[in-house]
Structures are given as structure tokens and as C-alpha cells.
Amino acid sequence: MILKSWISSANDPESDFPIQNLPYGVFRQNGESCIGVAIGDRILNLRGCVECGLLADLPEAILSSCRAEALNVLMSLGPAAWPALRSRVASLLGEQVESRERGCAEPLLVPMSDVTMQLPARIGDYTDFYASIHHATRVGKLFRPDNPLLPNYKYVPIGYHGRSSSIVVSGTEIRRPCGQTKPQGTEPHFGPSQSLDYELEMGIFIGSGNALGQSIPIAEAEKHIFGLCLVNDWSARDIQSWEYQPLGPFLAKSFATTISPWVVPLEALAPFRVPAYERPASDPAPLPYLNHPDSDRAGIDLMLEVHLESGQMRQAGVAPMLLSQGNLRNLFWTLAQLVTHHASNGCNLQPGDLLATGTISGPEAGSEGCLLEKRNNTEPIRLPNGELRTFLQDSDRVRFRAYCWKPGWPRIGFGECTGTIVSTSFNG
Ligand code: CA
């Protein structure tokens, strides 16, 4: 039987946050930052729960982590601690709750519409991968039509170190970056990017890390994952194409990265596990340190969507346009392989580090995870009101959604990852 909550909005089939989800986030209210759990259209204030004794049967380390202003301490406690808190919260919010506990919890439920969300953790380091073979192939084709995939792709999970200081929470405006570009046949110049793009990605929040000099065996990798969120790795393609050789992306990516505010625990995604990407027989097998003991459930069936709304559409009340749809199961590398590879040289991952998958694209048209890939089509995108787009214009609003769903099971959603482009600050 599917468990239900006494909070009716959590039982709405359209809700991202049924009692089977219970993602963690940090909200700000009355000048305070508090850790909360999303349930329907409400947030359960965990600090409040500690203060009124609702979590009294849990160890002190968990109580103390719930009183913090970011999730890092809870993340650091590791998978031995997380299920106890999760199951306690589920029992408080489930319809079988004792009436005394329900009476204590009710005043600790905050309407989402009354608060602003913050970054869920202090993100020490941010790493971005390139785990979608369909993305790598489409982008590669733009530059090397006959040989789109580089020879290392099927051996090495390709990644680079990103910038954590400019990671912002969903809803934060994105200022068009300035930078050096060199349009074909001209001299380099400095000015606002003319090729601003989004990248549809999932983020992995690291829970307990690994010591410097130690690695993380693939069989242990998921125990180091606290949960997942949506990531928009905004990219200035004109800056990128001029600066990226030989060391890779730099200022084309570091001006902003948007994440969704809710971190969905892997446990909530357990019913949606699927086999890892099936490599054709002609492909090399992963090297042993990347070889999954449980590859039949190393993937996640998770739908992802990109919606675009221009400033004109917003003014005219035109609904956002669904630009593309993809699925996390299309990734060539699994989440565990990304974690294990990252730590394989002894690099220490730390609680609150963010690893992003790289643009998630599928094989078919309509599943491109960024606008750059759509350039393989000849026509610009036509918006419902007739405007055309090759890249993002000022006032454009990009919104990502993601959810797991299957018959007979509530939808496990990720909320929104949204950003609106505002004009550059460059004035000369
Ligand atoms: Ca990226």
C-alpha cells in the first residue's frame, strides 16, 4: 500500500513532493536560515522539530545537524545516519501519526510561498562532467563531422573543475556575461556574449567524503552521495570557443551556475533504478575500477524537461514552451562512476561538494540538453508567439523540471531550476 500524508497537498498526483520524496533544503524566514523538508506545498522546519522534541529519539549528532544553517553537517554524517532521520520525518508526516505529534508538527509547516530558498549547502568544490555520449557526439559533430567522439571518451569520464562561488539558487537573475570573443574573420574583442546557452544537468551532492590520498571503490560510491538536484550550467559559447584551447572552459562557464533548492535523497529514487547504459559489444568495457558490481540497477529512470519563456511571452501571458525532454538513464557514465573516477587519484571529496553530470541529451531530436546542439538543425527555434531563437536573449527565462514517475507510484519531483537573463553590466 502506498503511504499517504495528512498534508493533503502532498497527496496531489501533480505534486513534486509526496511523502515518498522528502527532499532537504534551506529556507529563509524572519531573518533566519533553517533546514527544512519539502512536503506538498509546505516545508517542515527541522530546527523547529528539534526544539520542540519531535526528534528526541534520534542521536545528538543528527539533532545538531538539523539545527544548522546548511546541510553540510547532515551530509557529513553519512548513510549510517540519514535513514534514521528520513524515517522519523516520514512517520511525523504520514497519516498514521499520533495526534499529539501532529499537533506539534502542524505549526512547524511553512507554506513554500511564504519563504525564499537558499543554496542547500556551502559548496566547497564544483566539478562538471561530460557524461552524456549523445551530447558529446552532437557537439563533437559541429567540429569534427567524421569523427565526433574523441578517443578517450569511452574510457575516461571527462570532467573539469568548475567555479563554486558563482553557484546560485533557482530564481536568481543571470547577468549576461562579457568576455573575449573572436567572430570568424575578425580581430578578438571584448563585449557582451552573443551566444548565451543553458545546459540541462543533474547535480550530485557529496555526503561523507574520502580522505586525501584515499579512493572510493565503485561498490561504495553511492554511499557517498547525499542526494541529487537540478543544475543549469550556463555557458557563453562565443567566449568558450575562443578561450577553451588548450585548457578547457574558463570564463565561459564561471559567471553563473543555477541549482534547484531541493536535494532529493537517493533513497527516494530507489523504485526508479534501471540498468546502466548498455554499451554495444564493439565498445571497450569500463576499466576494472569503474566496473559496476550492480550495473543492472546503476541507472535512474528520471525525466528532465527544459521550458523557455521570453519576456514578450511573459507579458502576453503565453505559457512557456517545452523546448526539450531527456532522461538521466541515457548517460554513458553512471553517478557512481563519476564519484569513483573523481576520487581515483586520491583527490578528497568533501561534504557539500557538487558534481554535475554534464549536459544530459538523448539520442532523438527533441532531447538536446542545450541550444548549441540544436545548431545541428538548420532552422532557429520558433517560439509560440513567432519570435526566433538561436541563443538566449535578455529577459528569456529558462526553467528545468525533473521527475521520476511510474504507474502506481507517486511522482518524485525535483522542483524547479529557473533563471532569467538580464542585460550585461558592460558599458563601454
Ligand atoms: Ca556543463
Side-chain angles (χ1 to χ4, degrees), residues 187-223:
E187 290 302 304
H189 79 280
F190 185 89
S193 168
Q194 302 301 312
S195 310
L196 192 52
D197 201 352
Y198 57 80
E199 290 192 332
L200 172 65
E201 309 196 11
M202 288 303 294
I204 301 166
F205 268 108
I206 296 295
S208 45
N210 58 304
L212 183 65
Q214 304 291 311
S215 57
I216 297 177
I218 185 97
E220 303 287 312
E222 288 200 356
K223 296 181 183 161

Side-chain angles (χ1 to χ4, degrees), residues 126 128-130 135 160 199 201 233 235 253 356-359:
Y126 164 47
D128 195 21
F129 284 95
Y130 198 53
H135 171 66
Y160 71 96
E199 290 192 332
E201 309 196 11
D233 185 41
S235 299
K253 304 271 193 177
T357 55
T359 306

Side-chain angles (χ1 to χ4, degrees), residues 129-133 136-137 140 144 147-160 246 279 283-287 289-290 332-333 338 341:
F129 284 95
Y130 198 53
S132 163
I133 194 168
T137 304
R144 299 173 302 276
N147 185 25
L149 271 191
L150 292 168
N152 57 4
Y153 190 83
K154 292 177 178 174
Y155 292 91
V156 184
I158 302 294
Y160 71 96
R279 295 183 177 215
D283 275 10
L287 294 181
Y289 78 103
L290 292 174
F332 187 80
W333 297 106
L338 301 182
H341 182 66

